[in-house]
Amino acid sequence: MNSADLGRRVGVPSTALFTDQYELTMVQAALKAGTAGRHSVFEAFTRRLPEGRRYGVVAGTGRVLDAVENFHFDEEMLGFLRDQAIVDGPTLDYLADYRFGGDIWGYPEGEVYFPGSPVLRVEGSFAECVLLETVILSILNHDSAIAAAASRMSAAAGGRRLIEMGARRTHELSAVASARAAYIGGFDTTSDLAAGFRYNIPTVGTSAHAFTLLHDTERDAFRAQVDSLGRGTTLLVDTYDVAEAVRTAVEIAGPELGAVRIDSGDLLLVAHRVRQQLDELGATGTKIVVTSDLDEYAIASLAAAPVDAYGVGTQLVTGSGHPTCSMVYKLVARAGSGDPGDELRPVAKKSMGAKSSKGGRKWAARRLDEEGVAEAEVIGTGPVPAGLADRQLLVELVRGGEVVAREPLDAARDRHIAARAGLPLSAMQLSRGEAVIPTEYA
């Protein structure tokens, strides 16, 4: 959800310098050559999924729309470019008036994608499209990587609640973006208040070990927390002796104690012992939350444990081993003039190895089998086959420079749940594998 949807306009600085220098020098050279205005089509896609992953998750689209709206050069930025002699006078004049006026289509946020999927298609003049390359890739590569990790963790959790708590393990701005992407991928709450403020993600949090250590006894700490936050709070029980802490927690809060949190030790064994102890003490409704450097594999290993919620930090905000999804942004078609009606010519890089690409403005559709399960990602440049016309994946996001597809974050979250459910069951396997469905070119 964009902050505007909540009536909370969070100041967003210009995104114009979130770019690489060669974007600007290409514009300078193209302006001089008279080719900057040629109608062009760029696409963001990945040539392959991260090693071992079976599907990708589109996240960051809403942030891309914000970035495009805020991509403009103010006087201070132009002064920097002038003082550093990065571009010449005519280019500075072009940049001073820059506002993206083209069209953007893409996979809707929360959708899954596969190798070659045209996740985002940007169309306009060469100059206005090429300037957006770096900021678009920066957002999509980060957010989609986090959402994919979150999706795997969500699948492993099997319906148990997930808490995003990685703010202290990444850059402060990345933490907010990570919480947003994790929510799309299936997490339920975040500990990060900035994410809650900007995107209306539910926030949670009670106390750390420091709060227990502050007090003369663990009992004093628990009493202070319950007196302040109520019996439904979550008490951290592994500062000293877990069994003694659980006993004390129930004595103070009674059977209405909301939850206990375990942050260390053999989580499988300790969770079973704590559940048994809680039940014996009459706190049958008290839930168990586990934390401690979890990832999807650790979550899956706790499937048989009496755990009600997982808190995940480091592994989530670093993509669980894959902090980027390696998307690229390539020119795939261009005209001989700036006329949008001029015939587009497919263009593509041809190189040795795996870095070649396919030219042409593309459509994408997902073919289903007789039971409604995805069986192929079909990508083409010509007419869309009749059988796939109602299965097309790209939606209009920006028309003539104006955003036309803002939506609440919950819509992207719900879309991901539906998209993941439409994949073959093998997509949920955590073992290494190839893309769960093939990419076919029509």
Side-chain angles (χ1 to χ4, degrees):
M1 178 182 290
N2 180 261
S3 55
D5 296 328
L6 298 174
R8 300 179 186 138
R9 174 57 69 179
V10 178
V12 178
S14 168
T15 53
L17 293 187
F18 293 167
T19 191
D20 292 301
Q21 180 168 318
Y22 79 169
E23 314 292 6
L24 274 64
T25 54
M26 281 193 286
V27 169
Q28 175 177 309
L31 286 169
K32 187 172 184 178
T35 54
R38 285 185 173 180
H39 191 68
S40 301
V41 180
F42 285 80
E43 290 174 353
F45 62 93
T46 183
R47 295 185 175 97
R48 66 191 68 82
L49 297 176
E51 184 179 358
R53 295 288 170 88
R54 297 169 185 263
Y55 63 93
V57 180
V58 178
T61 308
R63 296 207 309 120
V64 165
L65 298 180
D66 290 345
V68 171
E69 280 191 332
N70 286 284
F71 199 101
H72 56 85
F73 295 84
D74 61 29
E75 286 302 320
E76 189 174 6
M77 292 177 175
L78 294 169
F80 164 75
L81 298 176
R82 182 183 301 108
D83 294 344
Q84 299 299 315
I86 291 173
V87 290
D88 61 17
T91 307
L92 288 170
D93 292 340
Y94 175 83
L95 297 178
D97 296 329
Y98 179 87
R99 291 292 190 278
F100 180 73
D103 302 326
I104 300 178
W105 288 67
Y107 279 40
E109 199 160 21
E111 183 58 83
V112 296
Y113 70 88
F114 298 92
S117 297
V119 170
L120 201 72
R121 190 176 74 211
V122 182
E123 191 164 344
S125 72
F126 174 83
E128 66 181 334
C129 294
V130 78
L131 285 173
L132 299 176
E133 175 179 6
T134 302
V135 70
I136 285 175
L137 290 180
S138 175
I139 293 171
L140 291 181
N141 271 312
H142 174 270
D143 290 23
S144 296
I146 305 306
S151 179
R152 285 163 59 86
M153 293 174 190
S154 173
R160 296 174 179 177
R161 294 183 67 78
L162 288 162
I163 307 163
E164 185 281 315
M165 47 194 302
R168 63 191 60 193
R169 296 291 187 260
T170 188
H171 185 279
E172 65 271 19
L173 298 182
S174 295
V176 181
S178 294
R180 182 184 185 280
Y183 189 69
I184 292 171
F187 273 60
D188 300 284
T189 56
T190 180
S191 66
D192 190 271
L193 289 177
F197 175 75
R198 293 189 186 189
Y199 301 117
N200 205 30
I201 301 170
T203 59
V204 295
T206 51
S207 68
H209 292 104
F211 185 77
T212 301
L213 297 171
L214 168 69
H215 293 80
D216 294 336
T217 68
E218 192 169 52
R219 178 178 294 273
D220 289 344
F222 287 177
R223 170 61 66 191
Q225 184 173 327
V226 171
D227 286 349
S228 174
L229 301 179
R231 297 177 184 271
T233 191
T234 298
L235 294 174
L236 181 58
V237 296
D238 71 327
T239 304
Y240 305 118
D241 179 84
V242 173
E244 181 61 30
V246 171
R247 187 178 303 109
T248 302
V250 176
E251 285 179 8
I252 292 173
E256 297 86 5
L257 175 61
V260 296
R261 178 162 75 95
I262 307 166
D263 189 49
S264 59
D266 184 336
L267 297 179
L268 179 62
L269 175 63
V270 175
H272 277 288
R273 288 178 175 174
V274 168
R275 181 74 271 160
Q276 181 179 353
Q277 185 180 11
L278 287 169
D279 291 346
E280 290 173 349
L281 293 170
T284 56
T286 300
K287 300 185 182 302
I288 296 175
V289 180
V290 297
T291 53
S292 187
D293 207 24
L294 300 177
D295 61 10
E296 61 265 49
Y297 303 104
I299 291 170
S301 74
L302 293 168
V307 172
D308 299 287
Y310 306 93
V312 190
T314 304
Q315 293 302 315
L316 175 61
V317 299
T318 57
S320 195
H322 295 292
T324 178
C325 48
S326 300
M327 285 192 193
V328 295
Y329 182 91
K330 298 297 181 184
L331 179 65
V332 297
R334 59 91 173 167
S337 73
D339 182 358
D342 197 358
E343 181 182 0
L344 286 170
R345 309 172 189 176
V347 294
K349 175 181 178 179
K350 298 187 183 300
S351 67
M352 301 292 290
K355 295 191 72 172
S356 61
S357 57
K358 295 183 180 295
R361 179 205 276 146
K362 299 175 190 66
W363 53 263
R366 190 161 299 144
R367 191 173 69 238
L368 309 181
D369 65 16
E370 294 178 354
E371 297 181 355
V373 178
E375 65 176 10
E377 193 88 337
V378 185
I379 299 170
T381 58
V384 181
L388 295 174
D390 62 348
R391 299 297 308 167
Q392 293 190 72
L393 293 163
L394 278 76
V395 299
E396 189 177 25
L397 301 171
V398 176
R399 182 192 310 132
E402 297 295 326
V403 174
V404 296
R406 290 208 188 282
E407 63 180 4
L409 197 58
D410 280 330
R413 175 185 169 85
D414 293 343
R415 181 181 295 114
H416 177 62
I417 293 171
R420 191 176 67 186
L423 297 177
L425 286 176
S426 57
M428 303 304 106
Q429 291 179 311
L430 296 181
S431 57
R432 290 182 176 274
E434 300 299 321
V436 71
I437 61 172
T439 299
E440 299 177 0
Y441 289 93

